[in-house]
Amino acid sequence: FWLGVVPDRVNADTMLALSQLEAAGVDTSHMEVVGEGTGQPTAYITVSQSTGSRTIVSTRNGLRELSVKHFTAKIDALLDHHSKNDATPLSWCHLECRQMPE
């Protein structure tokens, strides 16, 4: 599953990102729709042909971070559901925090 923030469901960039995730079998139903910002966060990656080094330039496009309240509620519910319905241990979790919660 994917847990993140989107400005709204009808933003063209959001629709593209969600459709790509869903086409790959990723559950996007746990997102937080915040209705703010100018668009979906964007990153541009430039790769040097001679060295292979990468430079990444990214912007949040005015979109705030995932709220602690939403994150906590979704993670608690997902872990509870998983522990009751799946004997397989969770194998991977990736978490990024760019701004400390207030």
Side-chain angles (χ1 to χ4, degrees):
F1 69 90
W2 175 77
L3 175 59
V5 175
V6 297
D8 59 57
R9 292 178 184 266
V10 297
N11 174 282
D13 293 332
T14 301
M15 291 170 54
L16 175 64
L18 294 177
S19 69
Q20 294 294 306
L21 289 168
E22 292 163 358
V26 177
D27 177 2
T28 63
S29 67
H30 306 289
M31 74 182 98
E32 183 178 15
V33 180
V34 297
E36 62 185 51
T38 59
Q40 197 61 21
T42 306
Y44 300 91
I45 304 169
T46 303
V47 180
S48 169
Q49 290 181 335
S50 61
T51 66
S53 67
R54 297 179 299 160
T55 300
I56 302 171
V57 178
S58 63
T59 177
R60 300 248 348 123
N61 282 329
L63 198 62
R64 69 166 172 78
E65 296 288 343
L66 184 68
S67 71
V68 172
K69 181 179 178 180
H70 186 85
F71 174 80
T72 303
K74 291 295 181 174
I75 291 298
D76 285 347
L78 288 163
L79 291 174
D80 183 56
H81 176 80
H82 181 78
S83 68
K84 292 176 180 174
N85 298 292
D86 191 346
T88 308
L90 295 175
S91 60
W92 183 74
C93 178
H94 176 86
L95 176 66
E96 291 183 21
C97 181
R98 293 171 196 84
Q99 179 180 343
M100 291 302 294
E102 296 178 6

